[in-house]
Amino acid sequence: MLTVHHLGKSQSERIVWLCEELGIPYELKIYTRAPVLAPEEYRALHPIGAAPVITDGEVTLAESAAVVEYIVTKYGNGRLVLGPEHPDFPH
């Protein structure tokens, strides 16, 4: 199952939005900054504590653009993304 590791006040909020918009099942794990940096449990997923991070089976992925591309490609079924054959793709 797709798990969104949500670090408060971060770009991981856009990943939660994406999963909700696509209506896909996901687990949400919420982490609280301690006090400003990511807690140790979160840094075990990503050494510098950057957000967002997702896990999906054996896949662990960080960086919001990569995470968005992964989710819309794997779970989006063509929703929210225009293919290169679409006339509006470049825009």
Side-chain angles (χ1 to χ4, degrees):
M1 169 175 272
L2 178 68
T3 301
V4 177
H5 299 273
H6 178 63
L7 184 59
K9 297 180 183 161
S10 73
Q11 293 184 13
S12 60
E13 292 176 12
R14 62 182 63 173
I15 306 307
V16 174
W17 167 84
L18 177 62
C19 292
E20 290 292 325
E21 188 68 26
L22 290 172
I24 61 173
Y26 67 97
E27 177 184 354
L28 181 63
K29 278 194 80 173
I30 299 173
Y31 301 82
T32 304
R33 294 181 183 274
V36 176
L37 301 176
E40 289 297 322
E41 182 184 13
Y42 191 90
R43 286 192 285 148
L45 295 164
H46 193 283
I48 63 170
V53 172
I54 62 163
T55 52
D56 190 23
E58 297 295 315
V59 173
T60 300
L61 191 59
E63 205 291 307
S64 58
V67 170
V68 167
E69 185 173 351
Y70 177 87
I71 291 172
V72 296
T73 301
K74 185 167 182 183
Y75 296 104
N77 296 320
R79 294 174 291 163
L80 302 180
V81 178
L82 297 175
E85 70 287 345
H86 194 282
D88 290 332
F89 177 73
H91 305 288

